Amino acid sequence: MTRRKLRPARVARRGPFVPPPAFPVPAVRRSRLLGTTSVQPAGKDDVRQTLLPPDVALPAPAPVPAATPSPAAGAPAGWESMTTDAPPQPDKADVAILIVDDDPRNLFAVRETLEDMNAQLVLARSGEEALKHLLRQDFALILLDVHMPGMDGYETAELIRLREKSRHIPIIFLTAINKDESHIFRGYASGAVDYMFKPVDPHILKCKVSVFVDLYRKTEAVKREVEAKQRLLDENERVRREMRQAEQALRRSEERQALILGQLPIVLYTANLTPGIPFRYLSDTARSVLGCPPARFIEDPGYWEAGLHPDDRNRVLRQLESIHDTGLTTVEYRWRCPDGSERHLLDQAVVVRDEDGQPAELFGTILDVTETRQAQRQLAHAQKMEMVGQLTGGIAHDFNNMLMVVIGSLERLVPGLAEDPKAAKRAEMALQAALRCSDMTRRLLTFARRQQLHPEPVDLGALVAGMGELMERTLGGGVAIAIEAPAADAEPLWTASVDRSQAESALLNLVINARDAMPGGGTLRIRTENARFEEMQSAHGMSVPAGDYILLSVSDSGCGMPPDVLERAFEPFFTTKEAGKGTGLGLAMIHGFVKQSGGLIGIDSSPGVGTTFRLYLPRAAVDAVHGSASDEDGAVEAFAGRGETVLVVDDDADVRAVAVQAVGALGYRVLEADGAEAALTLLDRQPVDLLFTDIVMPGGLNGRELAREGLRRHPSLRVLFASGYANGTSAPEPEAGAAMPADDGTDPGAVLGAVLSRAETLAKPYRDGDLARALRRALDLQSPLAPAEAVRG
């Protein structure tokens, strides 16, 4: 092979080489080849081959600052610029070549040789430094010196080949010493692609390096092209996947919409704008809403108009004719289905115009609002009944106050007429009539639901017997009523723990339902008896534990209920009666009353046979006292007063006067006040044993608030309430534990609330015996508060 000597112009222009003082001047033997200079360092036996051209004069080294380490001995000038950690060059960042040699002069020579190859040249002076560079970036080629102190080229190549990310990089070994076949074989075995001996011809080196650089660039170009194609494939797949997902979502949405529209009571339609507005299209829901298939309307253009209610037809047709001018319309009408049923429909339509803006067709919806209108009527009826109830309750309350005056005055009058039998008889008749009026007002208050739930021991047998006359008037002459009491040899009927007025209301509702179920007449049977559950029972959303209960059974011989109606019997606003004849709340109220009382309901019903309602009400812990008329007459003497002081408070002067007379006649010392302020003044001036106050008083404090403040000031005070409402009042109950102002900041609200919650309420109008018992119980059984000092402690 012919070798020729090449002199790079750039190197030749450099100044003469001046070695540093610490670098020994070696003997230099020049060769004919460019870059083949043999250097024999002083005191060394080995021969080192360098790549320095023979005619190259290295520049003088630049001054080194004191803080910067001195360059290696023999390092050419400019070595500081060949730092191995230099950032990549932007214009050569596409390909990089790693040059590894422990001799800086060889690094300098290779860099000068390859500088015009448009590649990033990274220099390393050891195998360890080369490995660090390989961790930071990829290289197209590695020029690796074999003979290096520490880790030689073979070991470095083996480590490079062990790493997954660097094993693909081609390695060319450069050596001046290891030239025998064993070293060459080891080099190739270590993964080298070529094994070159120093001195290296620069032209040959550049040719070999350029081959690998071009190969690297083409490989990277192929990779980029493959990656671009893969990105296109991935993007195409992503778009196709999103399209599939969108199509699936659209299909699911359409299915959901179709399912929803199929379940909703709504019909979608299009129609012509010609006279009569014949349908073009109706949705499949027409069968469920209008009672016939869509094809019936399309085949017979006059079928829809014929099905309109006669009272609505002219109005609907006139309104539809005006849609040409308005562009839209909303009309409600009644539609008669083929099966004879009647539905309320809300028809909303809009004119659809063509591209020229001319009316083309009609698009609309028909909504079934039958149930909505029924609910609105039921709500209006319920609101009307609530208003009637409020009015009734207010009238009954005032009427009770007037009856209180009548009954109290008659009771004062009757004993004084003992010498005049005729006058005494007339007074007794007036008293009995007033008592019957009192019973009627109590029922009116029960209807108005102007009372709280107050469970008490109640004899259900006596309650049913007492309502016999009222039930007979309610049933009329076509229905016979039979009240069945327990057998004579059976165990006496237990006492139930229920709210008396609510029990009467529930029984009256059941009687009215039985009457409506027997329009042609029949028999109503009411029975009371004891019942015992050996284990827990459940029915109609209620559960009761094992124990003793009193059964109230109401049976009729009416039409009965089919299973679907029986299942919804206690559902609020559900009724099978005609519009305006029932609210659907009666059985729901009974269900709530029994459940709140801790009882159970059972129903047996068969179409054409009749219905039986069974109400199981809990047994009271203490049976009620069954007194006689003679006991009533002796009640006044048995519960007479013992000189205690009673403060009577009522805003009605006549009622207050009767109460003062009745309390005084019982042997009590009586004080009176017309309101809360006057009562508190009397309480502060003199000792009072019992406060007897009306609950509802207009203006200022009501009766409960007066009692709370009186107890706060005088802890030994007892309290008895009176009310014109049944078993209570419409006034809000004080919350137990509610804070009351105290002089020293103490909050005795919990104690006051507990005492007030145990205070008895005497319903107006009351008899002298009722008043005597209530006063005595309040004075003897009601636990007073501790002294104020103890409460504060």
Side-chain angles (χ1 to χ4, degrees):
M1 179 177 64
T2 306
R3 295 183 180 178
R4 61 177 180 173
K5 188 174 182 181
L6 299 177
R7 294 179 178 271
R10 183 180 301 172
V11 179
R13 288 195 298 269
R14 297 183 184 274
F17 171 68
V18 179
F23 185 75
V25 180
V28 179
R29 179 171 56 86
R30 298 183 182 273
S31 172
R32 293 178 58 235
L33 294 176
L34 176 62
T36 58
T37 304
S38 177
V39 181
Q40 180 66 38
K44 297 292 183 180
D45 297 332
D46 59 335
V47 177
R48 302 278 298 179
Q49 295 291 334
T50 70
L51 297 177
L52 290 175
D55 300 331
V56 172
L58 296 178
V64 180
T68 304
S70 301
W79 169 253
E80 294 83 350
S81 64
M82 294 191 295
T83 57
T84 57
D85 294 329
Q89 303 175 26
D91 58 340
K92 301 177 181 180
D94 62 325
V95 61
I97 301 172
L98 179 60
I99 306 170
V100 186
D101 200 308
D102 63 311
D103 194 331
R105 293 171 298 178
N106 289 338
L107 292 174
F108 178 81
V110 174
R111 190 190 71 172
E112 291 295 319
T113 302
L114 304 178
E115 190 172 17
D116 56 352
M117 293 194 65
N118 195 25
Q120 179 189 356
L121 303 177
V122 178
L123 310 179
R125 297 179 59 185
S126 64
E128 293 85 351
E129 191 174 348
L131 295 176
K132 291 181 181 179
H133 284 292
L134 287 168
L135 293 175
R136 289 195 291 264
Q137 69 181 108
D138 192 21
F139 294 93
L141 178 66
I142 301 176
L143 299 177
L144 182 59
D145 186 22
V146 176
H147 189 74
M148 294 185 297
M151 183 185 299
D152 60 13
Y154 301 134
E155 296 173 343
T156 303
E158 290 173 356
L159 292 176
I160 292 173
R161 290 290 177 259
L162 289 175
R163 186 170 177 267
E164 182 68 26
K165 292 185 177 181
S166 60
R167 63 172 54 182
H168 67 283
I169 304 175
I171 300 174
I172 297 179
F173 277 127
L174 302 177
T175 182
I177 300 175
N178 303 321
K179 298 183 178 181
D180 52 26
E181 293 183 358
S182 62
H183 286 91
I184 296 173
F185 178 78
R186 183 181 178 187
Y188 285 112
S190 300
V193 298
D194 201 352
Y195 202 94
M196 300 181 66
F197 301 106
K198 301 175 183 178
V200 179
D201 190 325
H203 179 72
I204 296 175
L205 180 62
K206 288 179 68 175
C207 290
K208 291 187 176 183
V209 171
S210 49
V211 169
F212 289 103
V213 169
D214 293 341
L215 178 61
Y216 178 83
R217 284 177 173 152
K218 291 180 180 179
T219 302
E220 291 299 315
V222 171
K223 286 182 180 179
R224 287 192 296 271
E225 184 178 353
V226 171
E227 290 175 356
K229 290 182 179 179
Q230 187 62 42
R231 283 196 300 270
L232 289 176
L233 292 175
D234 294 342
E235 183 67 17
N236 185 34
E237 179 62 25
R238 184 186 65 80
V239 172
R240 293 176 59 187
R241 183 171 61 251
E242 290 180 353
M243 289 181 61
R244 288 195 301 269
Q245 292 175 352
E247 292 173 354
Q248 294 173 358
L250 179 60
R251 184 166 57 253
R252 288 193 297 267
S253 177
E254 292 175 348
E255 292 174 354
R256 284 195 299 267
Q257 291 178 4
L259 180 61
I260 293 173
L261 290 176
Q263 299 297 323
L264 290 176
I266 188 171
V267 178
L268 304 179
Y269 71 87
T270 59
N272 292 326
L273 286 171
T274 57
I277 309 183
F279 290 102
R280 288 182 177 179
Y281 161 81
L282 289 94
S283 61
D284 294 336
T285 52
R287 185 183 298 274
S288 60
V289 174
L290 302 176
C292 49
R296 181 68 182 275
F297 295 91
I298 298 175
E299 295 170 358
D300 185 0
Y303 182 73
W304 171 79
E305 182 178 338
L308 294 176
H309 194 281
D311 297 340
D312 300 338
R313 183 177 294 116
N314 293 334
R315 173 180 58 85
V316 173
L317 295 178
R318 284 196 307 268
Q319 190 165 347
L320 287 177
E321 289 175 359
S322 65
I323 198 171
H324 295 81
D325 302 326
T326 61
L328 54 89
T329 186
T330 299
V331 58
E332 184 173 339
Y333 51 85
R334 288 166 290 177
W335 163 264
R336 291 181 172 180
C337 297
D339 60 359
S341 61
E342 188 176 283
R343 297 179 182 272
H344 286 257
L345 304 178
L346 180 64
D347 196 331
Q348 296 175 303
V350 62
V351 174
V352 179
R353 301 182 181 274
D354 58 17
E355 296 178 354
D356 299 330
Q358 299 299 321
E361 62 178 347
L362 196 67
F363 175 80
T365 60
I366 300 176
L367 177 64
D368 186 357
V369 294
T370 305
E371 295 183 358
T372 303
R373 297 297 175 260
Q374 291 176 352
Q376 289 175 348
R377 288 194 296 268
Q378 290 174 350
L379 178 60
H381 182 69
Q383 290 174 342
K384 180 181 70 176
M385 296 302 293
E386 177 65 21
M387 294 176 61
V388 172
Q390 291 178 358
L391 178 62
T392 303
I395 294 174
H397 172 266
D398 294 339
F399 197 51
N400 274 337
N401 281 335
M402 291 185 286
L403 285 175
M404 182 70 240
V405 177
V406 174
I407 293 174
S409 299
L410 288 174
E411 285 195 323
R412 304 282 81 71
L413 182 62
V414 167
L417 299 176
E419 298 179 358
D420 189 349
K422 290 185 177 180
K425 184 176 180 180
R426 292 190 182 98
E428 184 64 27
M429 291 173 59
L431 179 60
Q432 295 302 321
L435 292 175
R436 285 196 295 272
C437 289
S438 173
D439 185 66
M440 291 176 59
T441 57
R442 184 163 56 86
R443 297 198 194 313
L444 287 174
L445 286 170
T446 300
F447 163 75
R449 298 179 59 83
R450 299 297 297 272
Q451 73 286 325
Q452 300 171 357
L453 194 62
H454 293 281
E456 58 178 309
V458 175
D459 185 347
L460 290 181
L463 182 144
V464 173
M467 294 182 64
E469 182 181 354
L470 176 63
M471 289 187 291
E472 287 179 356
R473 291 197 301 269
T474 302
L475 291 172
V479 178
I481 183 172
I483 300 177
E484 301 177 357
D489 57 348
E491 183 182 7
L493 187 67
W494 297 330
T495 302
S497 176
V498 293
D499 185 301
R500 177 182 294 274
S501 61
Q502 291 285 350
E504 292 175 346
S505 178
L507 178 58
L508 189 59
N509 267 303
L510 291 176
V511 170
I512 293 173
N513 281 346
R515 180 200 64 188
D516 295 339
M518 299 182 290
T523 302
L524 174 67
R525 298 183 181 277
I526 302 177
R527 180 167 53 93
T528 55
E529 62 178 296
N530 299 330
R532 177 168 293 160
F533 293 149
E534 300 297 337
E535 57 186 13
M536 186 179 72
Q537 302 290 326
S538 299
H540 302 287
M542 307 180 196
S543 296
V544 295
D548 295 337
Y549 297 85
I550 296 86
L551 169 63
L552 174 61
S553 174
V554 179
S555 302
D556 64 69
S557 57
C559 59
M561 291 184 286
D564 57 334
V565 175
L566 185 62
E567 185 179 355
R568 304 179 60 186
F570 297 111
E571 182 179 321
F573 297 109
F574 174 75
T575 180
T576 57
K577 300 178 183 178
E578 297 179 5
K581 293 187 177 181
T583 62
L585 293 174
L587 292 180
M589 292 166 58
I590 296 173
H591 183 276
F593 155 67
V594 174
K595 185 174 183 180
Q596 186 177 358
S597 300
L600 189 71
I601 288 183
I603 309 178
D604 293 326
S605 184
S606 298
V609 177
T611 303
T612 298
F613 284 90
R614 301 186 308 277
L615 276 60
Y616 295 91
L617 300 173
R619 181 182 180 182
V622 179
D623 288 344
V625 178
H626 303 277
S628 61
S630 59
D631 295 333
E632 287 290 332
D633 296 337
V636 176
E637 297 180 0
F639 298 99
R642 301 162 191 168
E644 296 94 337
T645 301
V646 177
L647 174 58
V648 178
V649 184
D650 200 302
D651 62 295
D652 190 309
D654 294 335
V655 175
R656 187 173 69 252
V658 172
V660 167
Q661 292 176 5
V663 173
L666 292 173
Y668 296 96
R669 177 174 174 265
V670 186
L671 302 174
E672 61 178 301
D674 61 355
E677 294 183 1
L680 291 174
T681 302
L682 288 174
L683 287 173
D684 293 339
R685 287 181 178 176
Q686 51 186 307
V688 174
D689 297 301
L690 184 140
L691 173 66
F692 180 35
T693 177
D694 188 23
I695 294 179
V696 179
M697 294 186 294
L701 302 179
N702 60 37
R704 295 192 182 277
E705 294 169 342
L706 168 62
R708 178 178 289 274
E709 180 63 18
L711 283 170
R712 189 189 67 80
R713 298 184 183 185
H714 307 282
S716 61
L717 186 67
R718 273 81 164 179
V719 178
L720 175 63
F721 294 114
S723 175
Y725 292 105
N727 292 333
T729 175
S730 62
E733 290 281 352
E735 297 181 3
M740 287 293 294
D743 296 338
D744 58 353
T746 305
D747 177 17
V751 181
L752 296 178
V755 173
L756 291 178
S757 65
R758 295 192 298 268
E760 186 175 352
T761 300
L762 190 61
K764 298 177 184 179
Y766 47 81
R767 304 287 304 272
D768 287 349
D770 299 330
L771 176 61
R773 284 191 297 271
L775 290 171
R776 200 70 261 162
R777 282 196 299 267
L779 287 168
D780 296 342
L781 303 180
Q782 191 176 119
S783 300
L785 286 174
E789 293 79 6
V791 174
R792 297 188 183 98

